[in-house]
Amino acid sequence: EKGTYPHFMLKEIDEQPFVIRNIIQKYQNENGTVRLDEDIREAMKSSDRIYIIAAGTSYHAGLVGKQLIEKIAERPVEVHIASEFLYNMPLLSENPLFIFISQSGETADLRGVLVDVKEKGYKALTITNVPGSTLSREADFTLHTYAGPEIAVASTKAYTAQMAVLTLLAVDTANAKGIELDFDPIQELGIVASAMEALCDQKEKLEQIARDYLAVTRNCFFIGRAADYFVCLEGALKLKEISYIQAEGFAGGELKHGTIALIEEGTPVVAIATQEHVNLSIRGNVKEVAARGANPCIISMEGLAHDGDAFVIPKVHEHLTSLATVIPLQLISYYAALHRDCDVDKPRNLAKSVTVE
Ligand code: M6R
């Protein structure tokens, strides 16, 4: 039920702090450390390469998951779009583990890959919001994202839940391998939940940004570097999906290899700047587009903000920035769609779960 909310999407955005806290509770043991099933731990530890398979927003969570697993657990990971993997399978390692990420657990493109890899005798883990779903039943192991039912077609809380669970998976694998962590994942996820709350409290400001930058535009670009690039892909998908504004996410340095030709007087460019090591270079990209007439909207993080940034996100741990950064992007998309009179919860041409290939 929507309760007092005008749309499921807004309700689901607001539920994210609760979802993160719920995940922490479900996956920590009595002494406050992360502990997943022994079977999953063993499968992660013994595989020589992990293949993440997903579509849409879940694919974007997978890109973040790759970084988390490689940085925290030091395991090599590849991320593939399910519908491509099916017809263009890469050379596999000797002992692969497949991770299927799917909110619904019913996406046909993923099922095709799952059937194929099971036939080849490989192990599969499904990360899903629906534990009884097809992908969950047919895989060897399941990790539940505990986000509660997601009704709006545009995925919001399932995405952040997937990234939180991927963080815990990375941490559990690191623990199993005896890798010493330099951060407390439970505490840092708690900080993320509080940051999400603070972000959800700034709706008026984000509504104003949507009005200023997106009320009438035909297109919009999102640029970011390193982890911010992945959030840009998600921000662009969210915006195009519900507001029908043509939106693209780019790695900051890539725009000038072609797409900068599309920048006209007033073209909105949302730049994400939450990564310290690339803060100056992404700001350099902003200058390049601004010089061609773009209307830049910089979203940065506490400690890295400059005068004139449109929005500043509370500081969270460097591994977890995507979980916070996506909140303003979700809300900006929501308000842009609202201003443009779009059907926020049920955008045209889209279904909540894509059960045909
Ligand atoms: O249920 P799944 O996570 O497998 O769905 C994958 C995509 O269809 C889904 O994420 C889609 O891109 C969303 N509508 C995006 O908001």
Side-chain angles (χ1 to χ4, degrees):
E1 267 313 299
K2 278 199 296 239
T4 53
Y5 282 93
H7 298 98
F8 280 107
M9 184 181 176
L10 193 61
K11 174 172 178 271
E12 289 162 5
I13 290 173
D14 268 358
E15 281 170 354
Q16 291 175 103
F18 168 77
V19 170
I20 301 303
R21 292 196 181 106
N22 199 24
I23 290 170
I24 295 173
Q25 261 199 347
K26 299 283 185 191
Y27 286 111
Q28 76 174 334
N29 56 18
E30 308 84 57
N31 55 16
T33 55
V34 179
R35 192 70 199 221
L36 306 185
D37 281 355
E38 206 53 53
D39 295 353
I40 296 178
R41 195 170 238 242
E42 196 41 50
M44 286 290 288
K45 203 175 145 194
S46 59
S47 81
D48 60 354
R49 185 170 282 261
I50 291 150
Y51 294 80
I52 294 181
I53 312 289
T57 288
S58 298
Y59 170 73
H60 297 155
L63 294 171
V64 176
K66 170 187 162 73
Q67 281 218 326
L68 289 166
I69 296 169
E70 290 193 337
K71 287 197 173 142
I72 298 173
E74 298 171 14
R75 312 295 300 154
V77 184
E78 292 180 19
V79 194
H80 293 272
I81 294 172
S83 56
E84 280 297 303
F85 191 91
L86 207 49
Y87 302 109
N88 203 2
M89 198 178 285
L91 194 61
L92 298 179
S93 66
E94 238 164 71
N95 188 18
L97 171 68
F98 284 83
I99 300 183
F100 294 83
I101 306 179
S102 176
Q103 186 284 131
S104 63
E106 300 296 343
T107 302
D109 294 327
L110 275 74
R111 169 123 203 279
V113 181
L114 177 58
V115 169
D116 207 30
V117 301
K118 288 306 298 168
E119 258 170 34
K120 292 187 164 70
Y122 300 131
K123 291 262 183 267
L125 158 68
T126 291
I127 299 181
T128 184
N129 205 26
V130 187
S133 58
T134 308
L135 291 171
S136 163
R137 281 185 276 110
E138 295 182 1
D140 301 275
F141 326 104
T142 295
L143 280 175
H144 188 183
T145 47
Y146 292 107
E150 192 181 63
I151 309 294
V153 165
S155 184
T156 54
K157 62 177 180 171
Y159 168 75
T160 41
Q162 286 163 348
M163 294 190 293
V165 169
L166 284 160
T167 306
L168 299 181
L169 180 64
V171 165
D172 189 62
T173 308
N175 289 343
K177 289 184 69 200
I179 297 172
E180 199 137 325
L181 299 181
D182 58 0
F183 70 108
D184 177 346
I186 301 286
Q187 189 185 335
E188 295 301 339
L189 280 170
I191 293 172
V192 165
S194 305
M196 285 174 159
E197 236 153 36
L199 290 162
C200 288
D201 282 345
Q202 297 191 64
K203 293 195 180 65
E204 269 172 38
K205 198 164 181 190
L206 293 162
E207 181 173 10
Q208 189 61 47
I209 290 176
R211 203 176 299 139
D212 291 347
Y213 289 88
L214 302 171
V216 290
T217 191
R218 254 183 337 120
N219 56 8
C220 174
F221 298 101
F222 291 77
I223 59 170
R225 286 175 178 254
D228 289 338
Y229 165 46
F230 304 138
V231 192
C232 285
L233 296 177
E234 175 57 12
L237 177 61
K238 217 83 302 168
L239 186 64
K240 62 187 142 189
E241 187 173 27
I242 59 168
S243 75
Y244 316 141
I245 295 170
Q246 201 238 326
E248 300 301 332
F250 285 98
E254 195 60 14
L255 209 58
K256 62 177 171 297
H257 294 289
T259 312
I260 202 164
L262 293 174
I263 301 287
E264 295 172 340
E265 200 53 44
T267 305
V269 176
V270 178
I272 311 293
T274 74
Q275 305 295 305
E276 190 170 5
H277 61 304
V278 291
N279 195 26
L280 292 182
S281 47
I282 191 66
R283 288 172 187 280
N285 297 136
V286 170
K287 285 198 187 109
E288 288 163 3
V289 292
R292 274 106 187 152
N295 186 15
C297 170
I298 302 181
I299 298 182
S300 60
M301 185 160 280
E302 263 170 28
L304 299 173
H306 288 194
D307 284 348
D309 289 356
F311 192 83
V312 181
I313 293 165
K315 189 155 182 50
V316 298
H317 190 275
E318 58 175 343
H319 289 325
L320 304 176
T321 53
S322 311
L323 282 105
T325 315
V326 76
I327 309 278
L329 302 187
Q330 293 168 345
L331 283 163
I332 289 170
S333 295
Y334 172 78
Y335 288 115
L338 217 58
H339 286 305
R340 297 167 77 111
D341 250 346
C342 299
D343 186 346
V344 171
D345 282 341
K346 285 198 176 67
R348 68 187 180 205
N349 308 342
L350 288 170
K352 181 64 183 162
S353 46
V354 185
T355 53
V356 288
E357 244 189 61

